[in-house]
Amino acid sequence: MTHLKSTHKLIFVALLPLLLTACSQPGPSIVDVSLVQNPNPTVPLAAVLSLSANQPVTLTVNIDDGDRQWTIEPSSDRSTTFKVPVIGLRAARSHVITAEVTNAVGSSATSDAMTFETPPLPDIFPKPKVTVHKPDEMEPGVTLFNVNGRWNAEGEAEPAVFAPAVIVNNLGEVIWYYLPEDHKIHDVRQMPDGNFIYEIWPGTGGMVEVDVLGNILRRWHFTGTATNIAEGSIPVETGSFHHDFTSLPNGNILLLSNENRVMENWYTSETDADAARATANVLGDVIIEMNLDGDVLREWKLHDILDPYRIGYSSLGTGFWRAHYEEKLGGPARDWTHGNAIIYEEDDNSFLVSVPYQDAVIKVSMDTGELVWILGNHDNWKEPWSDKLLTPVGDLEWSYKHHAISHTENGTYLLFDNGVARSSPFNEKMALVDSYSRAVEYSVNEETMEVSQVWSYGPKDEHFYARYLGDVDWQPKTDNILITIGGQESDPEGNNAGRAPDTQRWARLLEVTHETPSEVVWDMRLQDTGLGWAIYRGERLPALYPDR
C-alpha cells in the first residue's frame, strides 16, 4: 500500500510542471500567409497555400464556395511552416478560404479571409451526367478516372493528345484534373503518399509520377519502344510498359512489358483451322519486377509459360502495336496475349495476370516461375497446360476478352467480362446484336483446382456491351461494386453497334450493391451529343488527402 501511495505522488510531481507550462503557453499566431494560383497549368483547379506560425501547429483550411462550406486537413503533422495544395475545388467559382492553426494544447488562430477564383473547364471537356444518385448508400469518397479519348462525329480523335486524368464528386462535378500538353494519360492511380503514377499512351511512351499539382517527380522510359525521351527520364531495359502495374510490399513495381518472337508455322486465320500456316512476328507479354531506379530485377515471359500455339479471337490482331513494331520489325506483329491487368498475391508471393486474347486469367509463382492455374474456358488447351485448368463448379459462365482482375476482402476475384465473341477459334462468334458485357466475381479453391461464380451484374440486371476497356472494384466500407463500362458503342436507337458514321461511343461509371439482384446507387455517364468518349478505368478514392 505504501508503494502505491508513493507512486501516485511521484506521478503528480512529474506532471505538475507540464500542466503549469501548458497553462502559461501563449496561443499560436500566423506570421505570414499567402494563397496563389497553382503555377503549374496542367492542374488549374488548385491553389497553393503558404504560411508560417510562431510555434508548431496543425493546419486546417476552411473553404466556402458560395453554396458549400467544408474543411480540409492537408496533413496531420505539426510544423511552423506550411506550403500545401488546396484541391477539391469546382470550376468557375469564387472561393473564400481561411487558414486555421492549432497548437498542442488546442489553442488556435485564424487568418484573414482570402479569395481564390477557379477558371472554367475547357470547352473540350466532357460533361458528366449523373442519372442515379443515392449518396447514403454509396461508398464515400471521390472518383478518379482517365478520359481515354474524345472523338468527333466522324470518328476522328480531337484534339490528338486530349486524355486527362479527372476526379469528380458524387454529383459528377469535376473537382480536379491533370491535363499534360504533349502526351496522353492511360492507366492512372493514386499512390499511398497522394502522388499519382500513370502510363503514357500508347505503351511506347513510358511512365510518369506526378504530385497533385501536376509537378513531375519521376519518369521512366522503356528502351525497347522508347520514343521522344524526356530529359531526366530513367531508362528501363525492357520492351515496353502497357496497361497496368502494381506495387509490391518491398517498394518495387510489377508491370506489364512485352517481347517479340519469330514463330514458324503460326496461324494465319482465326476462323479456318485448315488455313495455311506462316512464319510470324508474335508479341507475348513479359511481367517484370523493377525498382524505382529503373533496374529490372526479375522477369517472367508468357511465351515460356503458356502454349505459344494456342490462340483466341484477336490473337492475330496487329493494330495495338502497329505504330511501333511494323517499322521496327519490317512488318506486322501479332498481338498474341495482350495482357491488361496484374495483381499481387502476398500470401504465396505470386501474381495474377489478365490475358484477354487467351480468354484467361493465369496465376504464376514468383518464386518458381511456374504456372499455378488457368481461369478460363477449356477450349484448345493441350497438355501440360490443360492440367492447370480450373474446373467449373455450379452455375458458372466463362469470361471473354476481359479487363481488370482485382481482389475482394473475401478472397474472391472481380473481373470486367467484355464478352467479345463469347467463343474460341474456330467456332462461330456471338452476333453483335446479342453481345453483352458484365461484372463477375469468381471464387477459386486452389486445393481442389475448382472455380465457382459468386456474383455477377450483367444481362439479367441490365443489358450493356463494351467490346473494349472496363474495370470492376470492390468497395471496402459498403461492400458495393464500382463498375467502369469503358467503351460502349451504340446506334441512334441504343442498340449495339460497330464503327459507323452514326455510332456513338460513350462510357459509364456505375456503382451497384453486392446483392442478387443488385441495386444501382450511382450512375455517371460521359455521353455528349456528337462526341465520343471512353474511360479505361475508374477508382473510388477515400479522400483527396490520403493520410487523413
Side-chain angles (χ1 to χ4, degrees):
M1 183 65 67
T2 302
H3 176 70
L4 289 176
K5 286 184 178 180
S6 175
T7 302
H8 280 292
K9 288 180 180 178
L10 286 172
I11 291 174
F12 178 77
V13 170
L15 289 177
L16 184 58
L18 293 176
L19 292 171
L20 292 174
T21 301
C23 292
S24 61
Q25 180 178 354
S29 62
I30 297 174
V31 179
D32 190 22
V33 63
S34 69
L35 182 74
V36 299
Q37 166 81 40
N38 178 22
N40 190 329
T42 62
V43 181
L45 301 184
V48 179
L49 174 67
S50 302
L51 66 81
S52 299
N54 66 335
Q55 58 187 261
V57 291
T58 57
L59 171 65
T60 300
V61 183
N62 306 300
I63 305 173
D64 185 338
D65 71 359
D67 59 13
R68 294 188 198 175
Q69 300 81 39
W70 71 99
T71 63
I72 58 177
E73 297 178 356
S75 172
S76 57
D77 297 332
R78 287 192 179 90
S79 179
T80 57
T81 59
F82 293 88
K83 186 174 183 179
V84 299
V86 180
I87 55 176
L89 311 177
R90 293 181 290 174
R93 288 181 175 268
S94 181
H95 301 78
V96 177
I97 297 175
T98 58
E100 182 179 355
V101 298
T102 306
N103 66 13
V105 297
S107 297
S108 62
T110 302
S111 72
D112 292 336
M114 298 166 282
T115 301
F116 174 64
E117 188 166 341
T118 48
L121 294 176
D123 291 340
I124 60 174
F125 246 68
K127 298 174 177 59
K129 181 179 181 182
V130 173
T131 60
V132 178
H133 180 227
K134 300 178 181 179
D136 293 340
E137 301 174 54
M138 291 177 60
E139 182 79 8
V142 295
T143 305
L144 167 70
F145 60 93
N146 77 308
V147 177
N148 206 65
R150 164 188 155 128
W151 297 267
N152 61 24
E154 287 71 42
E156 300 169 337
E158 58 165 31
V161 294
F162 181 77
V166 178
I167 296 177
V168 298
N169 60 21
N170 63 19
L171 294 174
E173 298 169 318
V174 176
I175 58 173
W176 180 93
Y177 72 88
Y178 168 61
L179 180 58
E181 296 179 354
D182 59 354
H183 61 264
K184 293 183 178 182
I185 296 172
H186 195 45
D187 183 35
V188 58
R189 70 208 46 204
Q190 191 175 47
M191 307 308 290
D193 60 4
N195 296 331
F196 298 90
I197 292 183
Y198 66 89
E199 170 200 355
I200 296 176
W201 180 256
T204 58
M207 188 164 65
V208 182
E209 180 183 10
V210 298
D211 62 19
V212 295
L213 296 175
N215 302 310
I216 293 178
L217 307 176
R218 272 182 293 209
R219 61 191 304 163
W220 300 262
H221 65 272
F222 302 86
T223 56
T225 53
T227 56
N228 301 320
I229 300 170
E231 182 179 355
S233 181
I234 300 169
V236 183
E237 297 293 333
T238 191
S240 69
F241 167 52
H242 66 94
H243 284 92
D244 199 14
F245 73 94
T246 188
S247 299
L248 297 174
N250 61 11
N252 293 338
I253 292 177
L254 205 62
L255 58 82
L256 291 170
S257 179
N258 67 359
E259 64 167 351
N260 178 66
R261 291 193 186 178
V262 178
M263 305 287 292
E264 297 180 354
N265 199 36
W266 216 70
Y267 291 97
T268 60
S269 174
E270 297 173 336
T271 57
D272 181 3
D274 298 323
R277 304 287 188 95
T279 300
N281 293 311
V282 179
L283 297 174
D285 290 297
V286 179
I287 296 85
I288 72 166
E289 178 182 355
M290 78 171 208
N291 60 28
L292 297 181
D293 293 327
D295 301 316
V296 177
L297 307 176
R298 292 187 287 176
E299 60 183 12
W300 299 264
K301 300 179 178 181
L302 293 197
H303 275 300
D304 299 329
I305 295 173
L306 298 179
D307 179 359
Y309 283 92
R310 182 187 185 271
I311 63 170
Y313 279 117
S314 300
S315 288
L316 272 63
T318 61
F320 186 80
W321 293 104
R322 178 178 295 136
H324 178 76
Y325 278 102
E326 284 199 7
E327 179 179 347
K328 194 178 189 73
L329 301 173
R334 306 299 181 181
D335 196 1
W336 169 57
T337 47
H338 195 87
N340 61 21
I342 185 168
I343 56 176
Y344 175 66
E345 300 279 77
E346 189 169 5
D347 290 345
D348 59 2
N349 195 38
S350 63
F351 58 77
L352 271 62
V353 181
S354 166
V355 193
Y357 287 8
Q358 294 289 312
D359 298 316
V361 173
I362 64 171
K363 180 175 181 177
V364 176
S365 168
M366 291 177 64
D367 295 324
T368 67
E370 297 293 320
L371 179 65
V372 179
W373 48 251
I374 301 169
L375 166 58
N377 73 73
H378 291 201
D379 300 340
N380 304 325
W381 289 100
K382 302 175 183 178
E383 291 185 342
W385 302 279
S386 58
D387 296 336
K388 303 295 185 179
L389 290 165
L390 295 173
T391 301
V393 175
D395 186 13
L396 178 145
E397 182 181 356
W398 298 120
S399 58
Y400 292 84
K401 303 299 176 291
H402 41 244
H403 279 75
I405 185 74
S406 63
H407 298 101
T408 76
E409 68 169 356
N410 303 314
T412 57
Y413 302 105
L414 288 167
L415 200 61
F416 187 86
D417 173 16
N418 295 76
V420 178
R422 293 205 179 274
S423 181
S424 302
F426 297 89
N427 300 320
E428 186 177 356
K429 297 180 181 181
M430 177 175 280
L432 177 62
V433 66
D434 300 321
S435 295
Y436 58 90
S437 302
R438 63 193 183 123
V440 60
E441 180 182 6
Y442 293 114
S443 177
V444 173
N445 185 327
E446 208 161 285
E447 292 184 3
T448 63
M449 290 291 285
E450 293 176 330
V451 58
S452 58
Q453 182 173 304
V454 178
W455 171 90
S456 69
Y457 184 87
K460 293 182 180 179
D461 306 278
E462 65 165 305
H463 186 278
F464 58 89
Y465 178 58
R467 66 180 181 85
Y468 52 90
L469 310 179
D471 191 11
V472 186
D473 293 321
W474 169 78
Q475 304 301 306
K477 291 189 176 180
T478 58
D479 207 31
N480 289 348
I481 308 296
L482 181 66
I483 306 169
T484 303
I485 306 173
Q488 295 189 239
E489 293 177 328
S490 306
D491 66 18
E493 286 72 46
N495 302 311
N496 295 344
R499 296 287 171 81
D502 62 350
T503 296
Q504 184 176 42
R505 191 181 312 192
W506 57 293
R508 294 170 67 192
L509 288 164
L510 187 69
E511 185 177 348
V512 302
T513 58
H514 188 245
E515 301 168 352
T516 303
S518 295
E519 177 189 359
V520 178
V521 299
W522 190 62
D523 189 344
M524 189 192 78
R525 306 184 179 206
L526 269 59
Q527 190 176 16
D528 297 335
T529 302
L531 291 173
W533 300 105
I535 296 173
Y536 180 49
R537 286 183 179 163
E539 181 180 0
R540 183 66 47 80
L541 307 178
L544 283 170
Y545 296 87
D547 68 336
R548 301 303 294 162

